[in-house]
Amino acid sequence: MQAQPTLNQPLGGNAMPRSGGIATMMRLPHAPSAEGLDACFVGIPFDLGTSNRTGARFGPRHVRAESVLLRPYNMATRAAPFDSLQVADIGDIAINSYNLHDSIRRIEEAYDEILAHGCTPISLGGDHTVTLPILRAIAKKHGPVALVHVDAHADVNDTMFGEKIAHGTPFRRAVEEGLLQCDYVAQIGLRGTGYEADDFDWCRRQGFRVVQVEECWNKSLAPLIQEIARRIGDRPVYLSFDVDGIDPAYAPGTGTPEVGGLTVAQGLEIIRGMRGLNIVGADVVEVAPAYDNAGLTSLLAANLAFEALCVLPGVAYR
């Protein structure tokens, strides 16, 4: 009988002080590729698509640095991902800092390789442009997917300053390219000001479930995500979590903050409510550390990425 491989574990604080060691995600082993992995953390140090404050290219590095505080078991849900899945940090995708379109190509090709190994990627952004090439790669493997999208913005502009590819356009392009099952897309936390009064109505016309933030104030979002999850059923689903979906009181380190956002607890409810779904990938994007306060946004993003890992198919609960 072939021996089962030993599952990777985060480096514990009693083995190496949390102020030391190599700052991989959760201080997991670094792997050169996704081969042999069930899930991986992967960074995308890209911000060529930003429209306001740049700096999200440094997000993956800072999220990893704050992730040293995370431990292997989820005490709220009792999820034990490292008892169940082979997980590693496979490092960053080498984007082209001088060429947006070449970077998009590089990201898509990198995800083609990750998915070819049967590995589920959890991505650390990077601005929200990166979700488009990820979805392109995922659609090649899984076909069009359902989507849970947490964000202050719908990101469905046709163009930004005449450009078709930017952090405000990925889901318009995804619809046009047939990457999404539009009747099973939910956008949660949308808010702020717009260029037209009907900016969010384009999403509704595609069949999206649009949940503006005012519907979320002063309540638990557990019933909402339960409703969304029931509708998605066993379809392949992707989670895209922009940290600006969370109120800037909790997540100031982002490029386009909007007041009146979701609370951290509501963000956790959304991800935890996706347990049992056929999740084929996830990202946490738009962390811009230069505008952060004491690493709070990076710490939040690290926790959101861990929570996404905890609800992947195959994770054991203790």
Side-chain angles (χ1 to χ4, degrees):
M1 180 180 296
Q2 186 175 4
Q4 293 298 312
T6 301
L7 296 179
N8 295 334
Q9 299 294 317
L11 181 63
N14 292 321
M16 169 65 73
R18 298 195 182 279
S19 55
I22 304 299
T24 56
M25 183 65 184
M26 295 187 69
R27 303 203 298 181
L28 283 163
H30 170 263
S33 77
E35 184 177 4
L37 301 178
D38 300 306
C40 69
F41 293 104
V42 53
I44 313 177
F46 172 94
D47 61 9
L48 297 178
T50 53
S51 57
N52 187 39
R53 304 191 300 198
T54 60
R57 68 182 60 189
F58 298 108
R61 180 175 296 176
H62 285 256
V63 171
R64 288 182 173 109
E66 295 300 330
S67 77
V68 302
L69 287 170
L70 297 176
R71 300 166 185 85
Y73 294 94
N74 189 318
M75 302 307 291
T77 67
R78 303 182 75 91
F82 304 107
D83 291 357
S84 325
L85 305 177
Q86 187 68 294
V87 188
D89 185 333
I90 65 168
D92 291 339
I93 294 169
I95 62 96
N96 183 340
S97 303
Y98 306 98
N99 188 309
L100 181 149
H101 293 282
D102 185 48
S103 293
I104 298 303
R105 177 190 63 80
R106 287 165 173 259
I107 294 166
E108 182 178 348
E109 290 177 356
Y111 279 80
D112 287 340
E113 181 179 348
I114 292 168
L115 295 167
H117 291 297
C119 179
T120 301
I122 299 176
S123 308
L124 311 174
D127 77 51
H128 221 152
T129 314
V130 305
T131 304
L132 177 60
I134 296 172
L135 287 174
R136 286 172 172 170
I138 282 180
K140 293 175 199 173
K141 183 176 179 67
H142 298 285
V145 295
L147 174 71
V148 175
H149 172 207
V150 182
D151 205 323
H153 313 97
D155 292 350
V156 294
N157 292 315
D158 184 25
T159 62
M160 299 185 75
F161 224 82
E163 297 297 325
K164 289 281 193 178
I165 306 294
H167 76 158
T169 69
F171 300 109
R172 172 77 71 120
R173 301 287 86 81
V175 169
E176 293 171 348
E177 296 177 21
L179 309 180
L180 300 175
Q181 297 187 40
C182 292
D183 288 339
Y184 303 97
V185 172
Q187 295 184 302
I188 305 171
L190 304 192
R191 61 186 187 277
T193 54
Y195 293 106
E196 303 287 346
D198 63 352
D199 272 358
F200 298 154
D201 291 343
W202 185 91
C203 308
R204 296 184 175 99
R205 290 194 296 271
Q206 313 315 306
F208 294 9
R209 170 82 155 91
V210 175
V211 184
Q212 292 184 227
V213 78
E214 290 78 8
E215 298 179 51
C216 304
W217 286 348
N218 305 311
K219 66 174 71 170
S220 167
L221 296 190
L224 170 68
I225 193 62
Q226 288 168 5
E227 170 205 327
I228 291 168
R230 281 195 299 270
R231 181 168 176 76
I232 291 172
D234 61 358
R235 294 170 178 83
V237 59
Y238 187 82
L239 168 66
S240 188
F241 202 120
D242 186 328
V243 293
D244 72 26
I246 303 296
D247 191 86
Y250 309 104
T254 193
T256 47
E258 303 281 0
V259 301
L262 301 173
T263 67
V264 172
Q266 289 174 320
L268 295 177
E269 286 180 319
I270 291 168
I271 299 178
R272 291 173 181 175
M274 294 180 68
R275 178 183 174 184
L277 294 182
N278 180 20
I279 299 169
V280 295
D283 63 53
V284 181
V285 298
E286 294 284 358
V287 175
Y291 315 105
D292 209 356
N293 178 28
L296 294 179
T297 311
S298 296
L299 177 62
L300 169 64
N303 277 270
L304 295 174
F306 173 64
E307 293 283 345
L309 176 68
C310 288
V311 294
L312 292 186
V315 169
Y317 285 73
R318 302 302 186 202

